[in-house]
Each structure stands twice: as C-alpha cells, then as structure tokens.
Amino acid sequence: MPALPSNPFELVSREAKHEDSIVLVGDVAIGGREPVFCGGPCVVESRAQVFECARAIRAAGGHLLRGAVYTPSPSPDSSQGLGEEGLRLLAEAGREFGLGVVTEAIDLDTLMLAETYADCIQIGSQNMQNFSLLRYAGRSHRPILLKRSPYATLAELLGAAEYILAEGNEHVILCERGVRTFESHARNTLDLSIIPAVQALSHLPIIVDPSHGTGVRDHVYPMAMAAIAAGAAGLVVEVDAGEPLRNSRQSHTVDTATLDLLVRDCRAVARLRHSHSAALAPERA
Ligand code: PEP
Ligand code: MN
C-alpha cells in the first residue's frame, strides 16, 4: 500500500518551497515588496462603467482591473452578467489603461472563454471547493486568484490551492474575503489573522478583499490599511466610478477619491512594514 503523504498540502507548503512565490499577472508581480492594487466594478454592466473604473484605477496608481461577467447569482432570475461581451470590454479597457485583467470563471466553459481575454482567472468564494473547477484551473495557463469561502478553514483554503498546483499550475494567489461569524455589524468578519498564518505554512501570496470582507463602504479603507499592515501582498477593492448602475453600486464599493487615498496610504504602510520586516521575520526578509 502506498504511504500516505505526511503533509496534505505538500505542494503549497513552505517545506516544498521555502521562499515566497511571486505570481505574475501580465507583467504585475504579486508577492514581492510592492503591494498590488486590483479594482473594478462588482459586475460589468456597460462600456462607460468599465472604462471609468479602469481610468480611476490607473489614476490611483493601481495595477489590475477586475470585474465579473459571469456571476454566481443566488437566484436564476437575477442578473447573470454580460458574458463574452463583458470580457471584451474588460480586455479593451485593460489595454487602454495599461492594466492587467482579472475575471471570474464559474465552470469549464467560462474558464476557457475567460482565459482568452483575461490575464488572471478568479475562482470565487462560492466555488472554492468546486473540485472539478479547481482541477480545470490547475490545467489553465493563466494564474488563478482563489478566494476563500466564508465557511472554509485555513486548511480547506490550502487544500483547495493544492488541487490547482497538483494539476501543474503553480501560479496561485490566495484571497481572504471575510468569513461568516455570529457578528452582525458587517456582512462578514475579515479574518486578517489568516495572513501571517498562511505565510507561516505556505509560499503562496495572499491578498485581501476588504469590500466583500466587510460589506460596508466606510470600512473598506481602514481594513485595507490593516490588511497591508498585516502583510497582505495586495488588495482587491470594488470601485464605483461614473454613473451609478443597477448592480454595481453596492454597499461596499468605494468612490474614486477614497480609492486614491487608499492606494497612497497603503503604499506608505507597506514601506513602513518593510523597513521593520528584517526585525520581524529575519529568515524571510
Ligand atoms: C466578487 O469578487 O465579486 C465576489 C462575488 O467575491 P466573493 O466570491 O468573495 O463573494
Ligand atoms: Mn462583487
């Protein structure tokens, strides 16, 4: 009988690779010293909306444009996204403003289509344990942004990432986006303590989504700052630029002025953190 592996997260573990992985999305490096800023509308709804968001992200000094064109909606009657037309808009806006594009896939068909337009494929929180989709993502030539399910433990998140690496794709970025707790002051409880916990166990970069992580517009900036202070490799923030649209302006989107401040101030926090990192973790500095 073959011996059981001693570590269930062999490939994602620090034992497999001691140094931090840097994942390239287009030419943007995630996991290095510079925090990466990814933003966009929740759902792609119009050309003007996508271009206004892209302009705002670029102006703020961000790197990546993210938007959903296939939404895992809770009801089949609600908006399902623009599909391929939305992918075209994202790709065009990304090119125009020099931003890499990130979009969500929800099954094999949407993964294959998204790969042809986007630089990075998101597996959303609701699909974190969709093991067949994880395997397909593992065969993709695109990097994968894997969001933690609100019900998943750290071990389950790493287990999901292991599925992707096991198929040969080592370009995985983890994302904390809040978990369900008894607390009701926010939509989710943003578990920032998972950042150092992931970093102790895994070489994969972890970024944070303070938008879904709180569900509260006014909490996005402070939690973004806290995430970078805790060592996040970047942020995913939902932005409300241009005219408000039906599905995009949600309780957690930030306006462009807040986005500008957030990017500027998070960069300052990252610089401060790196100036102290040799003392904090000399082996990884
Ligand atoms: C999203 O990124 O727009 C999204 C719906 O995120 P999550 O899967 O984390 O809820
Ligand atoms: Mn969203």
Side-chain angles (χ1 to χ4, degrees):
M1 216 170 85
L4 286 172
S6 56
N7 183 347
F9 324 117
E10 221 172 308
L11 301 170
V12 304
S13 73
R14 283 257 175 226
E15 286 76 55
K17 186 176 172 206
H18 178 69
E19 64 280 13
D20 294 342
S21 283
I22 309 266
V23 177
L24 279 180
V25 174
D27 58 4
V28 177
I30 304 184
R33 289 175 83 85
E34 292 294 320
V36 167
F37 298 93
C38 175
C42 185
V43 179
V44 170
E45 290 185 85
S46 76
R47 182 183 183 84
Q49 170 224 34
V50 175
F51 275 69
E52 281 309 310
C53 276
R55 184 191 313 281
I57 292 154
R58 183 71 204 190
H63 310 89
L64 302 172
L65 173 65
R66 197 216 71 101
V69 301
Y70 304 104
T71 50
S73 299
S75 153
D77 297 331
S78 52
S79 164
Q80 304 290 310
L82 285 184
E84 190 166 3
E85 187 193 337
L87 289 173
R88 270 191 223 106
L89 292 175
L90 284 170
E92 241 185 271
R95 262 196 311 279
E96 170 128 352
F97 292 97
L99 302 167
V101 168
V102 184
T103 196
E104 179 166 355
I106 54 174
D107 54 23
L108 178 58
D109 290 344
T110 56
L111 174 71
M112 283 168 45
L113 204 52
E115 280 178 330
T116 66
Y117 290 95
D119 302 290
C120 176
I121 309 298
Q122 171 177 323
I123 306 257
S125 61
Q126 292 173 70
N127 276 310
M128 191 207 85
Q129 284 192 320
N130 179 340
F131 296 113
S132 66
L133 183 58
L134 294 174
R135 284 196 200 279
Y136 290 131
R139 294 175 209 145
S140 174
H141 59 285
R142 296 292 187 197
I144 306 296
L145 174 60
L146 177 63
K147 297 189 86 174
R148 179 188 186 183
S149 157
Y151 306 102
T153 63
L154 162 58
E156 287 162 342
L157 174 63
L158 293 181
E162 185 79 11
Y163 265 82
I164 302 172
L165 270 75
E167 293 294 323
N169 187 353
E170 357 173 271
H171 309 292
V172 175
I173 306 136
L174 305 173
C175 182
E176 161 62 26
R177 47 78 72 214
V179 290
R180 281 274 165 99
T181 66
F182 52 80
E183 188 50 82
S184 60
H185 69 79
R187 194 191 302 159
N188 293 293
T189 296
L190 191 62
D191 178 15
L192 294 182
S193 62
I194 201 171
I195 298 168
V198 161
Q199 289 167 342
L201 294 173
S202 174
H203 54 86
L204 296 176
I206 178 162
I207 66 173
V208 169
D209 171 355
S211 298
H212 295 93
T214 62
V216 182
R217 176 170 305 131
D218 290 348
H219 298 179
V220 173
Y221 170 91
M223 296 316 288
M225 295 280 276
I228 297 296
L235 297 164
V236 194
V237 174
E238 285 193 1
V239 182
D240 184 21
E243 59 177 303
L245 290 169
R246 194 160 59 99
N247 295 309
S248 302
R249 188 173 162 80
Q250 300 197 359
S251 61
H252 59 248
T253 50
V254 295
D255 60 20
T256 54
T258 308
L259 180 70
D260 289 344
L261 285 182
L262 183 153
V263 172
R264 186 196 68 188
D265 296 349
C266 285
R267 284 219 166 97
V269 170
R271 278 195 296 276
L272 186 64
R273 186 184 154 84
H274 286 302
S275 69
H276 293 289
S277 64
L280 283 170
E283 75 285 359
R284 293 219 305 276

